Amino acid sequence: MKKTINLLIFVLIVCLSQKASIAQEISIDGEFRINPVYSMGFRKPMYAGDKPGFFTMQRTRLILTYKKENDLEAEIIFQDRRFWGDQGDREDVANLALYRGWVEKHFKKGFSIRLGRQGLVYDDQYLLGDPNWVGTRAHDAGIVKYETNKLSVHLGFAFNANGQDLKREPYKYNMYKNLQFLWFHKDFKKVKLSFIGINRGMEKSDTTTNIYYTQTFGPDINVEITKKISLKGIFYYQVGQNTDKENVSAYFYSAQLKFELNKSVDFTLGLDVGSGTNQNDILDAKNKTSHSFDRHYGLIHGHFGYIDYFYVNQPTLCGIKDYYLKTKIKLTPKFSIEDHIHYFDTEAKINNSKNPGETMPNYLGTENDILLNYKFSDTFKASLGHSIMFGTPTLNEFFGGKKSVQNQVIYMVITATPNFLKIKK
């Protein structure tokens, strides 16, 4: 793999040395992202007898981009993702992988087709996002695009296989078997309007008999009230059938008020709600309907709090209501502080395991996330964060009924983004 990368860089440099009559740009960049984490309840609570965990995750990327004006664009990203010390000193473990590898051909003005391994990032990334915290998600897909200054229309499609399946085999990976989506975005004078529709087909790994399809669709509207105040509204509805053969009838909505006090201080007051299924219905073998909204491939760490209790590892079948106030203060051009306060409720009912027949209050807890950001230069920045959840007995039930003793995390994110080579012709 190292020889391949060296050869690729050599070929790029040779190609760049040749004269070109059409504007071209080639860039070779790096990204080093180092995340030390001190966990006292990150992603799952700590219980009596547990000790805090400490680990450092490092993600290293080599990014090659090419652009020929009105003709061709391409991106290749090689990525190594590891935890410090996660292999023996003499082990030969291959970690380098192709994270992105796509090419986009431009035809007539505004019309293009992108093919290959890519990220799908749309609107506020509640449904399709590019998670920066873990950074391993990729879609092997094609997108037909039509874009002008104020109008964008994307038609996406994907069909996955285990490998070179010469005959039909059950799809064994935790990903969709096939996916199609249509995204529309239009800019008006003070309104930005998007609409997305996603058809996702999932398959159980033990059979090729059925593909279970769900459809998710709805608008995303942003309205500029004044130069300092804007409103955002999102509503998605989800229907179809899940892999448990349940009929799906679920929804998600978000309402946000954004206010910029001045160039240094801004606020976001919001509510995000994903519908859920009452626990009695989940336990009822006769029930054939799910009201639990599936966020598909939305951001893992960007919504519902930085402690990552919801829509990450733990199934969130009960749904979540997230009331939040997010504040950002720029103290200097290089230093800023962010503080997010979240108030969490369940959307559906959770049973009280200690008193059968009784349901728990909806209130899960209040989370506070604080983040200190410092930009040393254009190529080096660092953040220091702390998140704490003041949980309730309902949160304990959400995680299985055991009483937690700690719900917090301290972490740092160090990011360096050097440019190794950039040539414009």
Side-chain angles (χ1 to χ4, degrees):
M1 180 61 76
K2 289 181 179 179
K3 290 182 179 179
T4 302
I5 294 173
N6 291 335
L7 179 60
L8 183 57
I9 293 173
F10 174 75
V11 171
L12 284 172
I13 293 173
V14 171
C15 291
L16 284 169
S17 66
Q18 308 301 312
K19 292 183 179 181
S21 59
I22 300 176
Q24 297 181 71
E25 179 179 330
I26 294 182
S27 181
I28 302 176
D29 299 277
E31 183 193 69
F32 299 84
R33 185 178 171 90
I34 300 170
N35 301 137
V37 176
Y38 184 65
S39 173
M40 298 171 285
F42 179 55
R43 295 196 170 173
K44 61 180 181 179
M46 288 183 61
Y47 302 106
D50 292 342
K51 294 182 179 180
F54 180 78
F55 60 88
T56 299
M57 189 271 284
Q58 178 173 339
R59 191 185 70 200
T60 308
R61 289 176 177 172
L62 181 65
I63 306 166
L64 296 86
T65 58
Y66 171 85
K67 184 174 183 179
K68 186 177 181 181
E69 189 177 358
N70 300 321
D71 181 23
L72 198 68
E73 292 182 63
E75 181 180 62
I76 299 173
I77 302 179
F78 296 103
Q79 173 174 285
D80 174 81
R81 182 178 178 273
R82 66 178 61 242
F83 293 90
W84 286 8
D86 64 356
Q87 65 184 58
D89 67 329
R90 297 183 66 84
E91 290 185 32
D92 184 13
V93 180
N95 290 301
L96 199 64
L98 182 68
Y99 174 62
R100 295 285 184 263
W102 57 262
V103 61
E104 183 169 348
K105 173 62 179 174
H106 294 265
F107 297 96
K108 294 182 179 180
K109 187 176 182 180
F111 178 67
S112 66
I113 298 177
R114 178 182 291 189
L115 300 169
R117 195 167 184 81
Q118 57 190 285
L120 300 179
V121 181
Y122 289 93
D123 299 319
D124 283 11
Q125 303 187 62
Y126 284 103
L127 292 176
L128 297 174
D130 200 3
N132 205 27
W133 183 258
V134 291
T136 55
R137 178 180 295 156
H139 298 268
D140 300 311
I143 306 176
V144 180
K145 299 182 179 181
Y146 177 75
E147 296 183 339
T148 65
N149 290 336
K150 294 186 178 181
L151 175 66
S152 296
V153 180
H154 291 188
L155 176 63
F157 53 91
F159 188 89
N160 291 329
N162 299 305
Q164 189 177 352
D165 289 347
L166 300 180
K167 63 179 182 179
R168 183 69 164 88
E169 300 286 352
Y171 187 60
K172 63 183 181 181
Y173 295 103
N174 184 29
M175 196 64 169
Y176 47 78
K177 179 61 180 175
N178 66 71
L179 180 80
Q180 304 84 39
F181 69 88
L182 176 65
W183 177 75
F184 167 94
H185 180 85
K186 174 70 174 176
D187 287 342
F188 300 92
K189 187 174 181 180
K190 291 192 174 183
V191 177
K192 295 180 179 180
L193 171 65
S194 293
F195 182 90
I196 194 167
I198 302 173
N199 182 52
R200 184 180 72 159
M202 300 292 291
E203 185 174 89
K204 288 189 173 182
S205 61
D206 59 347
T207 180
T208 61
T209 304
N210 293 311
I211 299 179
Y212 302 91
Y213 287 96
T214 56
Q215 295 79 41
T216 306
F217 49 90
D220 181 311
I221 304 173
N222 189 81
V223 181
E224 181 185 297
I225 306 299
T226 70
K227 293 294 183 182
K228 295 187 176 182
I229 301 175
S230 65
L231 289 172
K232 175 177 279 290
I234 301 170
F235 182 80
Y236 300 130
Y237 191 59
Q238 196 167 77
V239 295
Q241 192 175 49
N242 61 27
T243 54
D244 292 325
K245 299 183 180 180
E246 297 172 327
N247 295 321
V248 176
S249 177
Y251 60 82
F252 173 88
Y253 64 86
S254 175
Q256 301 171 24
L257 171 65
K258 297 185 178 182
F259 173 57
E260 182 182 319
L261 182 63
N262 51 48
K263 292 183 178 180
S264 299
V265 182
D266 62 72
F267 303 95
T268 300
L269 180 66
L271 166 65
D272 293 348
V273 178
S275 65
T277 308
N278 291 331
Q279 194 168 23
N280 284 336
D281 292 334
I282 294 173
L283 298 174
D284 183 359
K286 296 181 180 180
N287 178 58
K288 296 300 180 183
T289 301
S290 172
H291 300 291
S292 301
F293 187 81
D294 190 325
R295 291 188 58 226
H296 287 350
Y297 308 102
L299 283 184
I300 292 176
H301 190 64
H303 303 300
F304 298 96
Y306 289 160
I307 205 167
D308 286 1
Y309 277 179
F310 312 114
Y311 297 108
V312 180
N313 291 335
Q314 185 76 7
T316 311
L317 300 178
C318 62
I320 295 295
K321 293 182 178 179
D322 178 12
Y323 306 84
Y324 53 85
L325 174 63
K326 299 180 180 181
T327 304
K328 186 172 183 178
I329 303 172
K330 297 179 182 178
L331 297 176
T332 72
K334 292 186 175 182
F335 181 54
S336 66
I337 299 175
E338 298 177 47
D339 187 76
H340 301 174
I341 301 172
H342 298 265
Y343 180 101
F344 291 107
D345 278 347
T346 64
E347 200 279 332
K349 292 295 184 181
I350 294 180
N351 294 337
N352 187 342
S353 60
K354 296 180 181 178
N355 295 298
E358 180 182 307
T359 58
M360 301 292 292
N362 291 83
Y363 177 47
L364 286 161
T366 298
E367 178 178 338
N368 187 76
D369 305 323
I370 188 166
L371 194 62
L372 310 179
N373 306 299
Y374 192 81
K375 186 177 181 180
F376 292 88
S377 67
D378 291 338
T379 59
F380 193 88
K381 61 182 180 180
S383 299
L384 178 64
H386 175 262
S387 296
I388 185 169
M389 170 71 84
F390 301 96
T392 66
T394 306
L395 183 68
N396 294 333
E397 288 292 341
F398 178 84
F399 280 99
K402 194 175 180 181
K403 184 178 180 180
S404 62
V405 295
Q406 282 272 28
N407 301 282
Q408 58 181 314
V409 60
I410 300 171
Y411 62 92
M412 180 176 284
V413 182
I414 301 167
T415 307
T417 54
N419 173 254
F420 300 122
L421 178 68
K422 178 173 284 188
I423 298 178
K424 294 183 179 181
K425 288 282 190 177

